[in-house]
Amino acid sequence: MIMARLVEFDQDMEREVRFVEDTDPGQIISATLDKLRAGEAPRRLMAAAALAVSRSCELPADHHGGPVHPIAGIHATHQLAGRLDGEWGYVPVIQSVALANKHIHTPEMGPTVMAAIEPVEDSGDTDAMLDDFATALLTRQSRQAERLLAALVKTARSDQILNAMLAVGLRQNSLDDHFFLYPLYAIR
């Protein structure tokens, strides 16, 4: 029997991800502000929040919560933080970290764990793998799509991956705008 391995990050990032996952929701705002004031890079905390909410949170059936909004908003949040002076620049970062923490600690979304993904073997034909990826997305074969994506990030350009996602997402946009928005903002 093959046992699932959980997603883990390098030691430094794992520590930051666990901070987002394990900090009591009532303390996350002040604890995040303390980290920022101590010199932690805002971009690093936002990355930790994105990784934590992706690893430790499920997407609820009504699609409002989980990793969707923290991931989709990370580019805009980072840009806004860079435009604000002084500690005002911490506000979007703190909000991003607190939102991820909230979703992880909300019973209908978390906590959960994400198994590590074993990529499919690289066939050497990026176009065929991109087609297989789009087919897996279209037919909602999520594990296969994840395995193909894990292989493609090593061999395909980000615009090729995005085009494969959007070919499916645009067709389903009328059902739910997240099919278009999530991949677009996540790739940014």
Side-chain angles (χ1 to χ4, degrees):
M1 181 160 129
I2 298 173
M3 295 300 294
R5 288 183 308 109
L6 300 181
V7 169
E8 292 182 357
F9 308 105
D10 67 72
Q11 187 175 5
D12 291 335
M13 184 53 78
E14 184 68 28
R15 184 172 35 257
E16 297 303 331
V17 168
R18 292 205 178 219
F19 163 76
V20 177
E21 293 170 336
D22 297 339
T23 301
D24 181 270
Q27 301 299 315
I28 193 69
I29 291 172
S30 60
T32 304
L33 179 58
D34 290 345
K35 279 186 162 290
L36 290 164
R37 285 180 173 162
E40 185 63 62
R43 185 179 181 125
R44 186 167 175 76
L45 277 175
M46 286 189 297
L51 294 170
V53 77
S54 295
R55 171 172 88 174
S56 297
C57 187
E58 288 291 337
L59 182 64
D62 69 356
H63 78 261
H64 284 94
V68 172
H69 297 112
I71 300 297
I74 197 167
H75 177 75
T77 301
H78 176 66
Q79 294 301 312
L80 178 60
R83 289 185 177 112
L84 297 171
D85 293 328
E87 288 195 355
W88 283 107
Y90 295 163
V91 173
V93 177
I94 293 168
Q95 183 177 13
S96 181
V97 171
L99 180 61
N101 175 274
K102 174 190 173 210
H103 290 320
I104 292 165
H105 289 271
T106 299
E108 62 270 12
M109 291 180 264
T112 187
V113 291
M114 178 186 282
I117 298 166
E118 291 298 324
V120 297
E121 192 169 320
D122 182 2
S123 67
D125 185 349
T126 301
D127 290 334
M129 288 177 64
L130 286 162
D131 288 342
D132 290 346
F133 176 57
T135 299
L137 289 172
L138 186 62
T139 58
R140 296 182 180 223
Q141 296 176 38
S142 58
R143 289 298 287 171
Q144 183 65 2
E146 289 172 346
R147 294 179 72 230
L148 283 157
L149 179 59
L152 284 166
V153 296
K154 297 175 184 172
T155 60
R157 296 184 324 265
S158 61
D159 65 306
Q160 292 174 301
I161 295 169
L162 179 60
N163 284 339
M165 287 180 181
L166 292 181
V168 175
L170 287 172
R171 285 190 259 174
Q172 303 207 0
N173 191 56
S174 62
L175 299 173
D176 181 345
D177 63 346
H178 291 88
F179 283 110
F180 170 71
L181 294 174
Y182 187 80
L184 185 65
Y185 290 142
I187 279 286
R188 285 182 88 184

